[in-house]
Amino acid sequence: MTFKAPVQDMLFTMRHLARLDEIARIPGFEDANLDTAQAVLEECARLNEEVVAPLNWEGDRNPSSWHDGQVLTTPGFKEAFRQYAEGGWQGLQHPVEFGGQGLPKTIGAACTEILNAANLSFALCPLLTDGAIEALLTAGSEAQKQLYIPPMIEGRWTGTMNLTEPQAGSDLSLVRTRAEPQGDGTYKLFGTKIFITYGEHDMADNIVHLVLARVPGAPEGVKGISLFIVPKFLVNPDGSLGARNDVHCVSIEHKLGIKASPTCVLQFGDHGGAVGYLVGEENRGLEYMFIMMNAARYAVGLQGIGLSERAYQKAVQYARERIQSRPVDGSVAGAAPIIHHPDVRRMLMTMRALTEGCRAMASVAAAAYDVAHHHPDPEARRHNQAFYEFMVPLVKGYSTEISHEVTSLGVQVHGGMGFIEETGAAQHYRDAKILTIYEGTTAIQANDLVGRKTARDGGATALAVARQVQATEAALAASGTEAARAVQVRLQAAREAFEQVVAYIAAQAKADPVAAYAGSVPYLMLAGNLMAGWQMARALLAAQQELAAGRDEAFMRAKIATARFYAEHILPRALAARDAIVHGADSLKAMALEAF
Amino acid sequence: MTFKAPVQDMLFTMRHLARLDEIARIPGFEDANLDTAQAVLEECARLNEEVVAPLNWEGDRNPSSWHDGQVLTTPGFKEAFRQYAEGGWQGLQHPVEFGGQGLPKTIGAACTEILNAANLSFALCPLLTDGAIEALLTAGSEAQKQLYIPPMIEGRWTGTMNLTEPQAGSDLSLVRTRAEPQGDGTYKLFGTKIFITYGEHDMADNIVHLVLARVPGAPEGVKGISLFIVPKFLVNPDGSLGARNDVHCVSIEHKLGIKASPTCVLQFGDHGGAVGYLVGEENRGLEYMFIMMNAARYAVGLQGIGLSERAYQKAVQYARERIQSRPVDGSVAGAAPIIHHPDVRRMLMTMRALTEGCRAMASVAAAAYDVAHHHPDPEARRHNQAFYEFMVPLVKGYSTEISHEVTSLGVQVHGGMGFIEETGAAQHYRDAKILTIYEGTTAIQANDLVGRKTARDGGATALAVARQVQATEAALAASGTEAARAVQVRLQAAREAFEQVVAYIAAQAKADPVAAYAGSVPYLMLAGNLMAGWQMARALLAAQQELAAGRDEAFMRAKIATARFYAEHILPRALAARDAIVHGADSLKAMALEAF
C-alpha cells in the first residue's frame, strides 16, 4: 500500500482538540458524533487508499494531455472519479436538500485531507467543484441552485473558478473579460482566462465555469466585476444538456507538478460569444468569488497537510528499509536501517511534528467554522467566526509553506534515490510548490492577516487567541510532568514573541505600512507556528490523560513525544521571526530599488 | 541575456574579505593580484554568459539521452565544452607543469561559481574532471600523472568518480566491486556502479574513470578499498587511444533536476573484465578518494551559490517587469511592478543576502586553502588548514541548503508563472535539490563538522573562529554607524549562541553521541549562518570605508543594506537553532522507533 490514511490521529484530534462532541450538540449535527466520524473516515480511507492513491504516480508519469480542444485525463482517473461520486463524497459537506450529506466541516476537512494525500492532482477537481457549489449556494438564484448544484453533488458535472487572466493574477482589478447583455437576461462573454484548473477534462458530462467578467459601463477596478455561470454545454430547463457553449480550451500548461491536473487556457467567445448567466447582482462578483476563495484557501491548507502526511509516510518506509552505516551510539553492531541515525530521526520527527501540528490547527479552525455557521447562540457564532477568519490565512499560508519543508525533507531522507523520479518522493516536492502560490500566494494570505485580521481590530482577535494560549500554558504548568513543563517554557516564549509582533504590526499598519507589510510573511509563519504548537500542547495534555486512563499507550506516548519535539525544535523559530519583524524593516527599506 | 556574472561582487569579496593581495605575496602567486583576477573573471564571464548560460534551459528540455550504450548530450554542449577547454578553463587551478594555469583557489572558486551559475548540468563534467585530476596529483604515479592529467587539462578527456553501488551510498564500507590482479601489474574489475555523473558522454575522446574496488583478501569495511584508473579506452604509452575497455553505461537515470548531466549506471567486467590500474597503494583508496571528495564538496557549495545567484537575477528581472497591484504605501498611484511590494522586496533581499553571504564565506575559505597549501610559514599553513577544514562542511552544507531556500523564493516571486516550466525558475528549484545530497548529504557534512571538526579538538578550532568573529564585533562597535551597531548586536547574539552550541556538542560527543548528532544539522546551519553573517559584517565595514573614500557609491550602499539585512533577518535564526540543539535531544530520543 502506498498510503494509509491517518485515521487514528484524525479521530484523536477531532475528539480532544476540535471537540466534535460539542459540535454534535448543535441542532442539525446530532448525528455528527465520533462514531459517525470514525465510520466516515474509515470508508473514506478505504476508497482513497485502494482506488485514488495508486493513481498518483501514474498521473505524474502520464499526465493530462490536450488534443484539438479536448483534454484526456490520466488513465484510471475517470473511473476513480465515478467511484468517488457514487460514494457520495462530493456532497459530504453540502446541504441535504441538494443531495448532500450535510456533515460538519470538522469531519469534511479530514476527508479532504485524505483525498489530497492520496492524489493531489485528482483531488483538485472535487475541490474546485466544492468551490463552485459554495458560490452558487451563497449567491445563485433558486433556479440556478436547483439546476446546477445537484448534478455537481452527484459528480455528473464539475465546477471551475475563472479568475486569472494574463495581466490579472493576484490583482483582479485588472480583469478584462467582457460580458455583454443580450436583452433576454443572458450575457455573451468574450475573453481569455488562464490557469483554469480542470477547465476541460473527460471525467464528467458537463463543466460549470464560474467566470469573472465586466459588463459594459462597469466601474473600473474590483468594484466593476460580475460573476457568471458559463456551462460547457448549455443546460435545458429539465437539466438535460443542450448545445456546446463557446468556451474552449486552447492549451494546457507544462508544469513543475500536479501534472495530472489540467491547467487550462480557456477562450471565451471566439465563435460569437459564450452564453453566460449572471450570478447575484452585477458588479458584486468579487464578493461572491471571495466566499468561494475562502473555502478554497482553507482547502489548499489541507492539501499541504495531506501532501506532508504522504511524504512523511514514504520517508518512514524508506528509512526502515534502507540499510546504511552503523549508528553513532553503537546500538546496532553493523550497518543498520537509516532510521537508527539521529539526523534521519530528526528529519522524520520534524516532518511528523509539523504535519500533526498543522492538522490539529486546521481541525480546530474547522470546528470554529461549524460553530460560527450553525450554533444557536449568536455570541458563540460571532467569536468563532472571528477565530475562523483569523485562522484561514494561517491554515493556508503556514500549512503550505510547511509542506515545502516536509516534502523537501522527504526527498532528503531518500538520499540519492530521492532525486530519481521513479522513487516518487520528488513528485511530492514538485507538487507542493504550487500550494504557496494558487488561491493567493503566501504574501496575499499574509496581507490578509496583517490588514483585515490584525490591524483592522487593533490586534484584538490575535490577542484574544494569545489569552487562550496562555490558558494552555497554565494547564501545562499545572500538569507538572517533565514533558509538559518543557513544552510550557517554549510555548510561553513563542506566545510572548507573537504578542510583541501583534503590537508592532497593529501600531505600524497605518504609521508605516511598508514596515508592517515587510514583516507580513514572517508574522504569518510565526502565528502559524504558534497556533500549531499550541494545539500540539493541548494534544500533549489530552494524551497524558488518555495514558493515565490506560488507553492506546503506544499512540499516546508517540503523541507526547511529538508534541514535545514540536515545542523544542519548531516553536523556537518564533523568536527568530520576531527579531526579523521588529528590527528588520529599516534594512529592507534601505536598499534602493535600482540597486537590486 | 539570461545571466550576468557578479564580477563586481566577486572582486569586492576577493579584495576586502579574502585579501587576495596577501595571497599574491605568497611565492608562486606573484601574478595572482586583483588585476589578474579581474581579467580572468571578465573573460570567464564572457564565455559563460554568451556560450554556456544560454544552453541551460535547453539542457533541461532536451536532456542527455541513452541509446545502446551511448550517451548523447544536449545539442550545443559538445561545442561549448570545446570552447571551455580551448580557453584553458579546465586547468585554471592545476599545476603549470601539466598544462594548467596554477592560479589560486580564491580566483578559481569565483570562476567555478560563474560556470555553475551559467549551467549546473554542464559544469558537472569539468567539476568531476577537476576531482580526478586532484586525486591523480595526490596519489598517482609519475607515469600516471604524465599519461592522464595533461589530456584532462586540455579537455580532450574527462574524469569521473565511481564510488556508489546500489547497496553502498553514504556507507562505502559496503562496496563490493572486485579488482583481480592479472600478474602484469594490471587488474580486472567486475561490478556495478551507480549515480556516475558523466560516466558516459560524447563531449570528449576518452573518459578516465576512478573506481573504488576491493582486491582479493582485502580487509572488510573501508580499510579494504583500493582506487583504480579504468579508462574508457585503454591508453597506449604514447598517449594514443587503444582498445575499448570493458566498462559500459547500461542506463541513465530519469531525475528531478540536472537533467542534461547524464547520471550513469556503469557495468564493469561483463565481457571479461575491465582493465584497471592501481592508484597508490592497495587498500588506501578511500583516503585518496577523500582528497577528491573534499575538493568536490567545496565545489558543490559553489554550485549552490551559483544557482542562488542565477535564481536571484531571474527573480529580480521578473519583479521589475511584472505589474500587479498598488503598493501599500501609495508610492505608485496604480498597479506597479511587483518589486514595489514589501514582501517581494523581502524575498529578493533574502535571496541576495543569503547568496552574497555564502559567496563571501566560500571566498574566505578558498583564501585559507591557498595560504594552507602555499604559504612559506608553517604556522600560517597550519592554522589556515584548520580553518579551511572547518569551513568545508559549512560551504558545502550551508550553501546548498540555502540554495533550496533561494531557488524556492525564486519560484515564489514569479507567482503562478513560476510553476510553469517554460518560465525557467522551476528548473533552478529542481536542480538545487541534488546539491544537499551528492558528495555527502547535509547530514554527512554535519557528522564531519561534529566529529572531526569540533569534538576531536574539544571545540578549539570552532572557538578560535568565534574569537575572530568577536574582533569583528569590536570593529563594528568602534565604527559607530547605525548600521554597524545594528549588525554588531545580531552578530554578537549569534556568536554567543554558536559558542553555547560548540560547548554542548564538544561535551556530548562522547557522553551522549545521539544527543550530539541529533543536533548536527542544526549546528551546521547555525555555524554556516554565523560564518556568512560574519563575512557580511566585514563587508559592511569595508563598504563603509570605500564609501568614505568616495568609491562606487551605489554598490557600497547596496552592500551595507544587504549586510544589515543579513544581520537582522537571517542571523536571528541562530537563536532558534541553538534552542533546538541544546534542549531538543530528549524529545528526539523519546519516540519509539516502531511508533514512526
Side-chain angles (χ1 to χ4, degrees):
Chain A
M1 191 180 298
T2 61
F3 167 65
K4 192 164 171 3
V7 172
Q8 189 176 13
D9 195 56
M10 289 171 159
L11 290 173
F12 173 90
T13 300
M14 278 186 214
R15 178 193 297 263
H16 296 290
L17 308 179
R19 301 302 306 270
L20 189 64
D21 56 339
E22 291 182 6
I23 291 166
R25 281 201 282 273
I26 297 173
F29 283 154
E30 291 85 352
D31 294 336
N33 55 30
L34 279 160
D35 290 342
T36 303
Q38 179 159 0
V40 169
L41 261 60
E42 285 173 357
E43 191 56 23
C44 180
R46 194 197 56 71
L47 175 72
N48 283 293
E49 291 169 0
E50 293 174 10
V51 177
V52 183
L55 293 170
N56 188 50
W57 165 241
E58 182 58 22
D60 197 65
R61 204 174 48 169
N62 192 359
S64 285
S65 59
W66 180 95
H67 185 69
D68 203 18
Q70 310 294 310
V71 172
L72 281 178
T73 55
T74 301
F77 270 40
K78 184 173 178 170
E79 168 59 19
F81 187 67
R82 195 188 57 76
Q83 291 190 47
Y84 176 84
E86 284 179 5
W89 297 103
Q90 187 73 62
L92 202 70
Q93 294 175 61
H94 298 302
V96 175
E97 63 170 305
F98 296 108
Q101 319 257 345
L103 283 175
K105 193 178 187 82
T106 308
I107 296 175
C111 294
T112 300
E113 184 199 317
I114 292 172
L115 177 67
N116 279 283
N119 194 326
L120 189 65
S121 285
F122 177 84
L124 278 161
C125 188
L127 190 150
L128 270 295
T129 304
D130 273 338
I133 293 169
E134 293 270 0
L136 291 180
L137 282 172
T138 308
S141 68
E142 199 50 38
Q144 287 171 340
K145 290 183 199 176
Q146 293 297 344
L147 199 59
Y148 292 102
I149 293 179
M152 286 201 278
I153 283 182
E154 290 165 29
R156 293 190 287 115
W157 304 354
T158 65
T160 68
M161 283 167 74
N162 287 248
L163 289 72
T164 306
E165 300 178 6
Q167 78 295 345
S170 300
D171 187 357
L172 292 172
S173 70
L174 303 176
V175 160
R176 285 189 205 142
T177 296
R178 291 179 294 125
E180 296 182 355
Q182 300 299 301
D184 61 351
T186 70
Y187 293 75
K188 284 203 168 172
L189 275 76
F190 303 88
T192 304
K193 294 286 182 179
I194 64 168
F195 295 165
I196 307 310
T197 300
Y198 280 95
E200 177 58 43
H201 63 84
D202 58 358
M203 283 157 50
D205 300 334
N206 200 7
I207 302 175
V208 182
H209 301 294
L210 291 184
V211 186
L212 292 185
R214 292 184 188 282
V215 298
E220 294 218 343
V222 295
K223 294 189 173 156
I225 298 176
S226 306
L227 180 64
F228 297 88
I229 297 170
V230 181
K232 174 179 169 183
F233 290 98
L234 299 180
V235 180
N236 299 317
D238 65 355
S240 63
L241 298 186
R244 182 73 167 81
N245 205 352
D246 184 13
V247 46
H248 297 280
C249 174
V250 295
S251 65
I252 64 174
E253 306 292 351
H254 170 221
K255 307 189 300 295
L256 174 60
I258 54 164
K259 296 189 181 189
S261 163
T263 302
C264 302
V265 178
L266 290 187
Q267 201 67 36
F268 293 82
D270 270 7
H271 308 283
V275 176
Y277 309 97
L278 182 68
V279 178
E281 297 171 26
E282 283 187 357
N283 300 329
R284 290 184 62 189
L286 203 68
E287 187 185 318
Y288 308 143
M289 197 55 106
F290 261 111
I291 293 159
M292 190 164 167
M293 264 204 300
N294 268 325
R297 284 176 175 183
Y298 177 86
V300 172
L302 297 178
Q303 295 191 310
I305 299 164
L307 209 46
S308 293
E309 175 68 34
R310 183 83 184 254
Y312 167 73
Q313 291 188 17
K314 188 166 185 61
V316 168
Q317 192 178 344
Y318 187 80
R320 288 195 199 288
E321 290 168 2
R322 173 70 170 172
I323 291 170
Q324 206 79 173
S325 300
R326 201 170 66 89
V328 284
D329 61 357
S331 57
V332 178
I338 61 172
I339 198 169
H340 285 269
H341 300 313
D343 191 64
V344 172
R345 288 177 68 172
R346 183 192 63 83
M347 290 194 279
L348 295 177
M349 281 302 286
T350 303
M351 297 171 79
R352 180 187 180 103
L354 289 169
T355 305
E356 290 187 11
C358 288
R359 175 180 300 129
M361 169 173 73
S363 186
V364 167
Y369 175 95
D370 289 326
V371 176
H373 284 75
H374 299 280
H375 202 282
D377 174 18
E379 182 52 30
R381 288 203 301 273
R382 195 196 56 75
H383 84 250
N384 276 279
Q385 182 65 24
F387 179 77
Y388 177 71
E389 288 184 1
F390 185 76
M391 295 297 279
V392 168
L394 307 183
V395 171
K396 202 288 185 181
Y398 185 68
S399 304
T400 60
E401 291 285 342
I402 288 303
S403 76
H404 292 182
E405 178 175 352
V406 172
T407 56
S408 179
L409 287 171
V411 175
Q412 191 72 18
V413 168
H414 286 79
M417 289 308 297
F419 202 67
I420 307 300
E421 284 289 4
E422 285 75 6
T423 304
Q427 182 188 354
H428 303 318
Y429 180 68
R430 289 187 285 99
D431 285 354
K433 198 74 195 79
I434 192 60
L435 302 180
T436 58
I437 296 171
Y438 65 16
E439 300 301 340
T441 63
T442 305
I444 300 278
Q445 308 304 320
N447 283 354
D448 180 43
L449 179 68
V450 166
R452 277 181 292 272
K453 310 298 169 66
T454 303
R456 184 183 285 177
D457 70 2
T461 301
L463 295 176
V465 175
R467 292 291 73 73
Q468 292 183 265
V469 176
Q470 216 170 358
T472 300
E473 290 164 32
L476 290 163
S479 147
T481 64
E482 191 198 339
R485 278 201 311 273
V487 171
Q488 188 260 321
V489 173
R490 305 293 144 203
L491 187 61
Q492 180 179 336
R495 188 256 307 157
E496 288 171 356
F498 172 75
E499 289 174 354
Q500 285 173 267
V501 168
V502 168
Y504 175 84
I505 296 280
Q508 297 295 329
K510 278 194 182 153
D512 185 352
V514 171
Y517 285 90
S520 62
V521 169
Y523 169 41
L524 180 148
M525 295 303 288
L526 191 171
N529 185 354
L530 177 65
M531 291 298 97
W534 169 36
Q535 296 311 322
M536 290 303 283
R538 292 182 63 215
L540 177 140
L541 290 167
Q544 286 187 166
Q545 286 183 345
E546 292 292 291
L547 202 56
R551 282 191 283 270
D552 295 324
E553 181 174 340
F555 177 87
M556 298 305 161
R557 287 201 188 285
K559 181 59 84 177
I560 292 167
T562 307
R564 183 170 175 183
F565 185 93
Y566 194 106
E568 294 188 330
H569 290 254
I570 314 296
L571 274 178
R573 298 177 186 181
L575 312 184
R578 185 258 326 271
D579 286 0
I581 297 163
V582 174
H583 303 294
D586 286 347
S587 57
L588 187 84
K589 290 190 270 184
M591 187 81 169
L593 279 188
E594 58 278 13
F596 277 98
Chain B
M1 191 180 298
T2 61
F3 167 66
K4 191 161 169 10
V7 172
Q8 190 177 13
D9 194 57
M10 288 172 160
L11 290 172
F12 173 91
T13 300
M14 278 185 213
R15 178 194 296 263
H16 296 289
L17 308 180
R19 300 302 308 268
L20 188 65
D21 55 339
E22 292 181 7
I23 292 166
R25 282 201 282 273
I26 297 173
F29 283 154
E30 291 84 354
D31 294 336
N33 55 29
L34 278 161
D35 290 341
T36 303
Q38 179 159 1
V40 169
L41 262 58
E42 285 173 356
E43 190 56 23
C44 180
R46 195 197 54 74
L47 175 72
N48 283 293
E49 291 168 359
E50 293 175 10
V51 177
V52 182
L55 293 170
N56 189 50
W57 164 242
E58 181 59 23
D60 197 66
R61 204 174 49 168
N62 191 358
S64 284
S65 60
W66 180 94
H67 185 70
D68 202 17
Q70 310 293 312
V71 172
L72 281 178
T73 54
T74 301
F77 270 40
K78 186 173 176 169
E79 168 59 19
F81 187 67
R82 194 187 59 74
Q83 290 189 47
Y84 177 84
E86 284 179 5
W89 297 104
Q90 186 73 61
L92 202 70
Q93 294 176 61
H94 298 303
V96 175
E97 63 171 304
F98 296 108
Q101 319 257 347
L103 284 176
K105 194 179 186 83
T106 308
I107 296 175
C111 294
T112 301
E113 185 199 316
I114 292 172
L115 176 67
N116 279 282
N119 194 328
L120 189 64
S121 285
F122 177 85
L124 278 161
C125 188
L127 189 151
L128 270 295
T129 304
D130 273 338
I133 292 169
E134 293 270 359
L136 290 180
L137 283 172
T138 308
S141 69
E142 200 50 39
Q144 287 171 340
K145 291 182 199 175
Q146 293 298 344
L147 201 57
Y148 293 101
I149 294 178
M152 285 201 279
I153 284 182
E154 290 165 29
R156 293 190 286 115
W157 304 354
T158 65
T160 69
M161 284 167 73
N162 287 247
L163 288 73
T164 306
E165 300 177 8
Q167 78 295 343
S170 300
D171 187 357
L172 292 171
S173 71
L174 303 176
V175 160
R176 284 189 205 141
T177 296
R178 291 179 295 123
E180 296 182 355
Q182 300 299 300
D184 62 351
T186 69
Y187 293 74
K188 284 203 167 172
L189 274 77
F190 303 88
T192 303
K193 294 286 182 180
I194 64 169
F195 295 163
I196 308 308
T197 300
Y198 280 95
E200 177 58 43
H201 63 85
D202 58 359
M203 284 156 49
D205 299 335
N206 201 6
I207 302 175
V208 182
H209 301 294
L210 291 184
V211 186
L212 292 185
R214 292 184 187 282
V215 298
E220 295 216 343
V222 294
K223 295 191 171 156
I225 298 175
S226 305
L227 181 63
F228 297 88
I229 297 170
V230 181
K232 175 180 170 184
F233 289 99
L234 299 180
V235 181
N236 299 317
D238 66 354
S240 63
L241 298 186
R244 182 72 167 81
N245 204 353
D246 185 11
V247 47
H248 296 281
C249 175
V250 296
S251 65
I252 63 174
E253 306 292 352
H254 171 220
K255 309 189 299 294
L256 174 60
I258 53 165
K259 295 188 182 190
S261 163
T263 301
C264 302
V265 178
L266 290 186
Q267 200 67 35
F268 293 83
D270 269 9
H271 308 283
V275 177
Y277 309 97
L278 182 68
V279 178
E281 298 171 27
E282 283 187 355
N283 300 329
R284 291 183 62 189
L286 203 68
E287 190 184 316
Y288 308 143
M289 198 55 106
F290 260 112
I291 294 160
M292 190 163 167
M293 265 204 300
N294 268 324
R297 284 176 176 184
Y298 177 87
V300 172
L302 297 178
Q303 295 191 309
I305 300 163
L307 209 46
S308 294
E309 175 68 33
R310 183 83 184 254
Y312 167 73
Q313 291 188 17
K314 189 166 184 59
V316 168
Q317 192 179 343
Y318 187 79
R320 288 195 199 288
E321 290 168 2
R322 174 69 170 172
I323 291 169
Q324 206 79 176
S325 300
R326 203 171 62 92
V328 285
D329 62 355
S331 57
V332 178
I338 61 171
I339 198 167
H340 285 269
H341 299 313
D343 192 64
V344 172
R345 287 176 70 171
R346 182 192 63 82
M347 291 194 279
L348 295 176
M349 280 303 284
T350 303
M351 297 172 78
R352 179 186 180 104
L354 289 169
T355 305
E356 290 187 11
C358 288
R359 175 180 299 130
M361 169 173 75
S363 185
V364 166
Y369 175 95
D370 289 325
V371 176
H373 284 75
H374 300 280
H375 202 282
D377 174 18
E379 183 51 31
R381 288 204 300 274
R382 196 195 56 73
H383 85 251
N384 277 278
Q385 181 65 24
F387 179 78
Y388 177 71
E389 288 183 1
F390 184 78
M391 295 297 279
V392 168
L394 307 183
V395 171
K396 202 286 185 182
Y398 184 68
S399 304
T400 61
E401 290 285 343
I402 289 304
S403 76
H404 293 183
E405 178 174 351
V406 173
T407 56
S408 178
L409 288 171
V411 175
Q412 191 71 19
V413 169
H414 286 79
M417 287 309 296
F419 202 66
I420 306 301
E421 285 288 5
E422 284 75 6
T423 305
Q427 182 188 356
H428 304 318
Y429 179 68
R430 289 187 285 99
D431 285 354
K433 198 75 195 77
I434 192 59
L435 301 180
T436 59
I437 296 171
Y438 65 17
E439 302 299 339
T441 62
T442 305
I444 300 279
Q445 308 304 321
N447 284 352
D448 180 43
L449 179 67
V450 166
R452 277 181 291 272
K453 310 296 171 67
T454 303
R456 184 183 282 174
D457 71 1
T461 301
L463 294 176
V465 175
R467 293 290 74 72
Q468 293 183 264
V469 176
Q470 217 171 356
T472 300
E473 291 164 33
L476 290 163
S479 146
T481 64
E482 189 199 340
R485 278 201 311 274
V487 171
Q488 187 260 321
V489 173
R490 305 292 144 203
L491 187 61
Q492 180 179 338
R495 189 257 307 159
E496 288 171 355
F498 172 75
E499 289 174 353
Q500 285 173 266
V501 168
V502 168
Y504 175 85
I505 295 280
Q508 298 293 330
K510 278 192 180 151
D512 185 351
V514 171
Y517 286 91
S520 62
V521 169
Y523 169 40
L524 180 148
M525 295 302 289
L526 192 171
N529 185 353
L530 177 65
M531 292 298 96
W534 170 35
Q535 296 311 322
M536 291 303 283
R538 292 183 61 215
L540 177 139
L541 290 167
Q544 287 188 166
Q545 286 183 347
E546 292 293 292
L547 202 55
R551 283 191 282 269
D552 295 324
E553 180 174 341
F555 177 87
M556 298 304 161
R557 288 202 186 284
K559 181 60 84 177
I560 292 167
T562 307
R564 184 171 174 182
F565 185 94
Y566 193 106
E568 295 187 329
H569 290 254
I570 316 293
L571 275 177
R573 298 178 186 181
L575 313 183
R578 185 260 324 273
D579 286 0
I581 296 164
V582 173
H583 303 294
D586 287 348
S587 58
L588 188 83
K589 291 191 270 185
M591 186 82 168
L593 280 188
E594 58 277 13
F596 277 99

